[in-house]
Amino acid sequence: MHKDAEPHEDGGKREHVGAHMVSVFINGKRHVVPEHATIMRAIEYAGHQIIRGAGCREGFCGACGTIYRLPGDYKLHTGLACTTLVKEGMSLTQIPSVPMEKAVYDLETLTPDVSAILQVYPVTFRCVACGTCTKACPQGLPVMDYIQAAMRGDVAAVADMAFDCVACGLCALRCPAEIIQHEVGILSKRLTGRYLRKESRELDDRIAEVRSHKYDGEYRKLMAMDKAALSKLYYARDLEP
Amino acid sequence: MYPDYLAGYVKQVERTRPKRLELALTGEPVFPPMTAAEREDVLTKYHPDYSKGAKRPVRVGPNKGEEMTTEVAVLMEAHSMIRPKLLELGLREPDYETDLLIIGGGGAGCWAAITAARQGVKSLIATKLRIGDANTMMSEGGMQAAVSRTDSPTRHYLDAMGGGHFENDPALVRVLTEDAPEVVRELENLGVIWDKEPDGSMQVLHGGGTSRKRMVSCRDYIGAVIMRTLMDEVRNHPDLISIREFEPAVELILDENGHCAGAVLYSLDTEQFLIVRAKATIIATGGFGRLHIRGFATTNHYGATGDGLVMAYRAGAKLKFMDSVQYHPTGAVFPEQIAGFLITEKIRGAGGQPLNRFGELFVFPREPRDVESAAIIRECSHDRNNGIDTYVGRTGVWLDSPIIDMIHGEGYIRRQFPGMCRQFSRFGIDITKEPMLIYPSLHYQNGGIAINERCETSIPGLYVAGEASGGVHGRNRLMGNSVLDYNVFGRRAGHYATEYARTAKLGRLSLEHIAEHARALKREGIDTDMISPLILPSYTPEDVKIQQLARLGNIPAMHSMLRSRFTPEERRTRP
C-alpha cells in the first residue's frame, strides 16, 4: 500500500477504523474519545489546542506531566500524556508548568562528591525515604534510591540511575520533603561527565592535530575537486567493517 | 507480544535469522551496497521528494521562481500575523533590549547564549515552548566526530559530501568536520557522559553512509543528555542570559539601514506582541517536521513548524535546498500510539537489519538515509508488495533487533538502547526478543537559510545556526551530523554575533518589509487565508475545527491563529 496520502497523525479524522470509544473527563468535562488514544491525543481529539503540556510528544522532554484518577480508585496517578493510554472513566488534567528553582552554580568549582550535593541542593538531605517519588516516576526510575545515593555522595550511581530521567518534575511535585529530585539528577550527571570519566588520549591527539593545521592541505585538495572527481574518490573509499 | 495477525510474520524473521547472523558475523556487508546508478534509480522512483505535487515554484520573495517543497511554498505565500501600523509605538519604545537576541531555545540557541556569556555579552533567548523543547532533546543515536585513530576529519568530510550528493557547501562541511573533535571535548567539559571504552577512549559505531566507525553516543539518549546539560548551564548565568518562554518570535525587525535589529515576539499566554531591540539576532528555530510534508508522520518536536524560515525569508534572506526533505528510514509503525516515533539509526549501526514480509534482507542496512528510505518505500509499494499491513492501514517492514544481542552478546541492547526498550515495552513488545515494524518518517529539513562559515546571512546582524540553516548537508544529511551541526554552528553563531554586537549601531526600527510582503502577495494575485509562521500544528478533528472557525468578527478566538488555516476544500484538494 502506498503511504503518500497518510493523514496527519490522527488529526482531521473523526472516525477511527475499528476503534471503540471511551468516556474521559478532561478538566472535569466529559468527552468521548477513541480507546486506543494516548491522553495527549484524547485532549486534541476533544478540540483543545495544547500549548502548555506538550513538547516532544515522544517521551523525552517531560513537558506533558499529567495526573489522573480512575473510577473506584482512591489513588492519584501520574504519567506522561504522550505515552499514557486513556481508560474508561478516567479523569485527567495536564500540568502547565512545575514551579521550582534550579540552583545556580559553577561546575568548575565543585568536586564530584557529597559536598557538591550539600552546597547546591541541601534540601536533598530532608529525604525520609518514603518512596513517593519512585511511585510517581513515569519512567519507572528508582528515584528514592538515587536520592539516597546522592546523600551518600555517590554521584556516579545517581548519574546511572537517573540516566533516563525526562525531568517532568512529577517526583518533585509529589515529594513531601520538597526535594527537587530531577535537578539533583542533572547535577550528578554533569559532575560525573566532567570529573569521573577517564579522558580520551586519542581525542586529545586529534584536537592537537587539528589545531596544528595538519589537515589544511588535504581539505584544500578536497574542496577544490569537482563533483566527478569527488564522486570517484567517494565510491572508491574503503569501508571499515 | 504482537497480535496474531502479525505473529506469523515474526516467525519468518526468526526462520531466516540464523543464516543472516552467520553472514553478519563474517564482518562482510550483509547485502551489497548500491552503486551510484542504483541509488539514483531508487531515489527518482520512490523518494517522496520526487512524487507528484511534491514541489512547486514559490511566487514571492528572494527565491521567487525557484521550486520549493509545496507545503513550504504555501507558508512563504501566507500573510503575516502582525499589522505593522499598530506596532509603531513599540518600535520606538521596545519591551526588551539586549545585545544578542537568540530565537529558539534548543541546542544551537543554548550554545550561542553560553558562548556569548563566556565573552561577557548579554543575550535574551525567546522560545516558543519551554527552553529545551526542541528536536535536540529527541536525538537518540549519536553524533559524528572523527575521533578514532583510523579516522580523520577529511574522511568525515568525504562521507558527508557523498551523503549530500556532493551538493553541500564545501566551506561549511569543512568547518563541521574540523570542529567536531573539539566539540566532543567541550561537551565533556560541560558534563556530558559519553559512552567510552575502559581505557577512556570514545566508543564509536557506524551510521548510515559512514566509512569509519565515527558515531559517539550517550546510550540512546544523546539529545536528552546534551540538551539538559546545555540548558542547565544556560540557567547558571542568570545575570547574562534572560529567557522568555512561550514567547515565540513571529517577525524580524530591520533598521532603516536594512540591518537586523531584533524581532516581534508573540506571547502565547497573553496574546500580546512584544518588541525586542537587539544589536544582533540569531535564528536557531530548528526545522519543519510538524508540517507533515506529503502527509507523513514525523519524528519531530511539537513546535517544529519552520518559523525561522518564514521570518528570515520575509526579511529578505535567501533559502537553500528548500526542495528537499529528509525521511528517516525507521519510524515506528506499530503500535499505532507511537506511529512515526524515531527508531534510532544506531540500531542499524549496531547490526539491526531491515526485512520484508518473507524475512528477507532487501537493502544494505547502512545506505545514506534517503537511499535507505526510498528502498523501504519501494519494498512496500505496489511494485513489490512486500510490506506488512497493520489493522489501521499502515504498512511497514521489520527491523530485526534481536540479532544485535546475538552479534554483540546478551544484554547489549538493554545497555545501549534503554530508551527504545522502554518505548516498546510500554506497549508489550520486547525488542530484545521481537523485531520492530518500521516505515520512513518525516525527520529533517535538509535545506534552510543560507549562511557562511561565520553563520552570517545576507542581512547584516542576522545569524543562523542549526537545522534552520541550509547548505551544510546538501540534499541529504547523514546520521549524527545534525547533532554535530547545532553544536558546531551554535558555538560559532554565538561567537561571531557577539563580535558583531560589540560594535553594532542601530538606526530607526522598521517593519516596512512586512508591509512590502503584503503588497507582493497582492501583486501576484495570491488569495490565501493562511497565516504564518504556523507556530503550532493542529490535531483537532476536522468537524470540530469547522465549528471553531465558524465565528465572525475581528477579535480572534483564543489562539485561533495557531491553528492550521487550511480550509476543508483546500484539505481535500491537497495531495
Side-chain angles (χ1 to χ4, degrees):
Chain A
M1 179 191 306
H2 250 303
K3 304 278 295 195
D4 273 357
E6 191 70 27
H8 298 185
E9 289 211 343
D10 278 350
K13 271 206 300 183
R14 198 65 173 154
E15 300 302 323
H16 288 252
V17 190
H20 294 284
M21 308 298 277
V22 294
S23 291
V24 296
F25 296 84
I26 301 169
N27 300 335
K29 195 168 172 181
R30 182 173 172 268
H31 291 277
V32 179
V33 301
E35 70 167 356
H36 69 232
T38 59
I39 288 177
M40 184 169 284
R41 288 208 191 168
I43 292 171
E44 291 173 334
Y45 189 86
H48 292 274
Q49 172 85 48
I50 303 178
I51 292 180
R52 288 175 180 264
C56 72
R57 305 169 70 99
E58 291 194 9
F60 287 99
C61 80
C64 62
T66 185
I67 52 175
Y68 60 92
R69 291 191 192 270
L70 296 167
D73 180 354
Y74 70 94
K75 274 185 73 173
L76 183 64
H77 296 270
T78 51
L80 296 177
C82 65
T83 46
T84 306
L85 298 184
V86 294
K87 288 197 179 80
E88 176 64 37
M90 179 187 257
S91 180
L92 61 93
T93 196
Q94 285 293 87
I95 298 169
S97 73
V98 178
M100 56 190 54
E101 209 168 324
K102 186 206 97 70
V104 171
Y105 59 89
D106 179 358
L107 191 67
E108 294 304 309
T109 63
L110 299 179
T111 49
D113 51 37
V114 75
S115 67
I117 309 289
L118 264 169
Q119 187 190 326
V120 181
Y121 291 112
V123 63
T124 308
F125 294 85
R126 289 170 49 173
C127 178
V128 293
C130 68
T132 305
C133 50
T134 299
K135 280 184 216 150
C137 180
Q139 292 282 86
L141 304 182
V143 187
M144 185 189 83
D145 298 354
Y146 83 60
I147 290 299
Q148 293 292 317
M151 290 164 74
R152 294 195 303 275
D154 190 351
V155 297
V158 182
D160 190 50
M161 283 187 265
F163 202 88
D164 294 18
C165 170
V166 296
C168 61
L170 288 167
C171 51
L173 277 183
R174 298 286 278 150
C175 176
E178 289 156 337
I179 298 167
I180 318 170
Q181 287 85 346
H182 57 291
E183 295 289 2
V184 176
I186 290 168
L187 171 67
S188 301
K189 279 187 252 187
R190 292 191 65 187
L191 287 167
T192 302
R194 173 72 182 86
Y195 295 111
L196 297 177
R197 309 303 300 289
K198 225 178 192 174
E199 295 205 340
S200 165
R201 289 193 28 223
E202 285 175 335
L203 177 60
D204 290 335
D205 294 347
R206 180 57 40 78
I207 293 170
E209 282 175 7
V210 169
R211 284 195 185 144
S212 68
H213 302 283
K214 176 176 171 181
Y215 299 101
D216 286 9
E218 253 176 277
Y219 269 119
R220 263 197 299 275
K221 227 169 73 196
L222 287 167
M223 289 167 73
M225 282 184 177
D226 64 5
K227 192 173 163 174
L230 209 54
S231 174
K232 201 169 154 210
L233 198 64
Y234 174 79
Y235 283 101
R237 78 207 196 289
D238 64 315
L239 303 183
E240 182 177 14
Chain B
M1 279 293 288
Y2 283 98
D4 289 347
Y5 76 97
L6 291 175
Y9 293 113
V10 176
K11 288 265 182 310
Q12 296 289 332
V13 173
E14 288 164 354
R15 184 181 58 81
T16 61
R17 191 178 288 140
K19 265 233 142 67
R20 290 184 286 106
L21 176 64
E22 200 178 306
L23 188 57
L25 290 173
T26 63
E28 296 296 309
V30 293
F31 196 89
M34 288 190 210
T35 62
E38 286 167 337
R39 283 185 180 183
E40 188 63 26
D41 180 66
V42 73
L43 285 174
T44 50
K45 286 189 185 143
Y46 297 97
H47 194 279
D49 279 355
Y50 293 87
S51 61
K52 197 165 156 277
K55 311 167 197 178
R56 70 160 171 82
V58 63
R59 291 172 288 175
V60 293
N63 292 63
K64 186 175 167 177
E66 288 176 31
E67 290 217 317
M68 284 191 184
T69 299
T70 304
E71 291 83 346
V72 177
V74 168
L75 283 192
M76 297 306 159
E77 296 172 0
H79 297 289
S80 171
M81 274 178 79
I82 60 167
R83 294 181 189 152
K85 271 216 154 357
L86 293 182
L87 287 173
E88 272 169 12
L89 178 67
L91 294 181
R92 291 197 295 275
E93 293 168 20
D95 298 277
Y96 312 120
E97 296 220 31
T98 181
D99 295 325
L100 201 56
L101 168 64
I102 299 165
I103 305 173
C110 285
W111 253 126
I114 292 168
T115 308
R118 283 176 177 174
Q119 296 173 48
V121 165
K122 287 194 174 176
S123 61
L124 182 150
I125 299 177
T127 181
K128 185 187 298 182
L129 298 166
R130 306 170 312 165
I131 188 166
D133 281 338
N135 280 332
T136 296
M137 187 70 90
M138 307 165 74
S139 56
E140 296 170 5
M143 176 174 97
Q144 284 199 45
V147 295
S148 74
R149 295 209 193 280
T150 53
D151 201 0
S152 77
T154 43
R155 255 188 177 280
H156 186 178
Y157 176 94
L158 188 59
D159 285 351
M161 292 297 288
H165 306 287
F166 309 101
E167 294 179 72
N168 326 38
D169 179 328
L172 295 182
V173 183
R174 174 176 180 172
V175 162
L176 180 84
T177 53
E178 208 173 10
D179 279 9
E182 175 108 16
V183 154
V184 173
R185 169 64 72 224
E186 282 278 313
L187 286 170
E188 186 164 71
N189 287 344
L190 283 172
V192 166
I193 305 174
W194 295 115
D195 292 331
K196 290 194 165 188
E197 303 296 343
D199 67 352
S201 60
M202 307 293 295
Q203 179 197 299
V204 284
L205 277 175
H206 266 305
T210 55
S211 64
R212 287 289 180 273
K213 290 183 179 173
R214 187 183 296 134
M215 206 64 61
V216 298
S217 55
C218 311
R219 303 185 193 174
D220 61 348
Y221 276 105
I222 189 169
V225 172
I226 293 181
M227 190 71 245
R228 292 223 160 80
T229 302
L230 293 178
M231 60 202 259
D232 191 65
E233 186 57 22
V234 161
R235 289 191 172 124
N236 277 343
H237 301 280
D239 46 337
L240 287 168
I241 306 172
S242 37
I243 302 168
R244 302 296 309 179
E245 296 182 326
F246 298 97
E247 283 184 11
V250 293
E251 295 294 355
L252 293 176
I253 298 170
L254 300 178
D255 76 358
E256 56 197 328
N257 307 315
H259 298 187
C260 191
V264 180
L265 311 186
Y266 173 65
S267 166
L268 297 184
D269 293 318
T270 62
E271 303 192 59
Q272 284 170 283
F273 292 103
L274 301 159
I275 304 290
V276 188
R277 186 176 185 271
K279 291 176 184 156
T281 301
I282 299 174
I283 290 183
T285 50
F288 64 21
R290 286 283 155 187
L291 298 182
H292 294 285
I293 311 288
R294 316 301 308 145
F296 269 74
T298 184
T299 61
N300 274 205
H301 190 270
Y302 189 33
T305 50
D307 300 359
L309 302 180
V310 176
M311 287 184 264
Y313 195 67
R314 279 185 196 149
K318 194 141 170 120
L319 306 183
K320 276 178 107 164
F321 300 123
M322 288 318 300
D323 55 350
S324 159
V325 178
Q326 179 164 88
Y327 299 83
H328 195 287
T330 56
V333 167
F334 186 90
E336 179 63 14
Q337 289 85 358
I338 57 169
F341 280 30
L342 177 63
I343 293 167
T344 174
E345 189 165 313
K346 191 178 169 189
I347 298 255
R348 280 176 292 130
Q353 301 173 345
L355 311 169
N356 65 20
R357 64 192 295 171
F358 306 110
E360 297 161 344
L361 256 169
F362 56 88
V363 61
F364 177 57
R366 297 198 322 268
E367 295 286 358
R369 283 184 170 167
D370 52 354
V371 176
E372 188 83 10
S373 292
I376 292 169
I377 292 171
R378 175 173 65 188
E379 202 67 11
C380 295
S381 72
H382 290 306
D383 299 350
R384 292 204 178 172
N385 266 327
N386 284 341
I388 299 120
D389 295 343
T390 75
Y391 74 102
V392 292
R394 294 185 195 271
T395 304
V397 295
W398 293 116
L399 179 59
D400 190 13
S401 47
I403 198 171
I404 296 171
D405 265 1
M406 296 171 189
I407 295 170
H408 298 278
E410 187 85 12
Y412 187 86
I413 298 172
R414 286 208 184 282
R415 211 163 46 248
Q416 292 284 337
F417 304 102
M420 271 305 99
C421 288
R422 176 171 283 117
Q423 291 285 29
F424 278 86
S425 69
R426 281 189 171 117
F427 301 100
I429 294 167
D430 178 357
I431 65 164
T432 67
K433 304 223 155 46
E434 298 162 302
M436 293 171 264
L437 201 58
I438 55 111
Y439 191 81
S441 187
L442 174 55
H443 190 56
Y444 194 77
Q445 166 185 294
N446 289 326
I449 306 157
I451 57 166
N452 62 17
E453 63 268 40
R454 295 161 63 92
C455 299
E456 293 164 333
T457 63
S458 55
I459 302 170
L462 180 65
Y463 297 76
V464 185
E467 191 172 346
S469 75
V472 65
H473 306 297
R475 283 195 164 78
N476 176 59
R477 174 178 66 77
L478 295 186
M479 173 201 182
N481 274 348
S482 66
V483 176
L484 182 57
D485 177 347
Y486 72 72
N487 282 294
V488 165
F489 291 98
R491 281 170 84 214
R492 285 186 161 250
H495 177 74
Y496 292 112
T498 292
E499 230 172 46
Y500 176 90
R502 282 188 201 283
T503 57
K505 291 268 179 295
L506 293 179
R508 196 176 46 82
L509 305 197
S510 158
L511 285 167
E512 173 53 27
H513 59 289
I514 305 303
E516 171 51 30
H517 172 72
R519 289 194 290 271
L521 291 182
K522 205 166 216 172
R523 273 200 305 275
E524 294 299 322
I526 294 167
D527 179 23
T528 173
D529 71 342
M530 188 78 186
I531 291 171
S532 64
L534 203 58
I535 302 189
L536 290 171
S538 167
Y539 296 113
T540 304
E542 204 68 27
D543 56 341
V544 178
K545 193 179 284 172
I546 289 167
Q547 292 167 324
Q548 289 170 335
L549 293 174
R551 83 199 313 278
L552 276 174
N554 61 355
I555 299 168
M558 180 75 175
H559 303 303
S560 62
M561 57 277 282
L562 310 186
R563 299 172 195 282
S564 163
R565 296 299 296 269
F566 292 119
T567 63
E569 284 73 24
E570 269 179 312
R571 276 236 188 211
R572 266 198 294 279
T573 54
R574 266 156 50 80

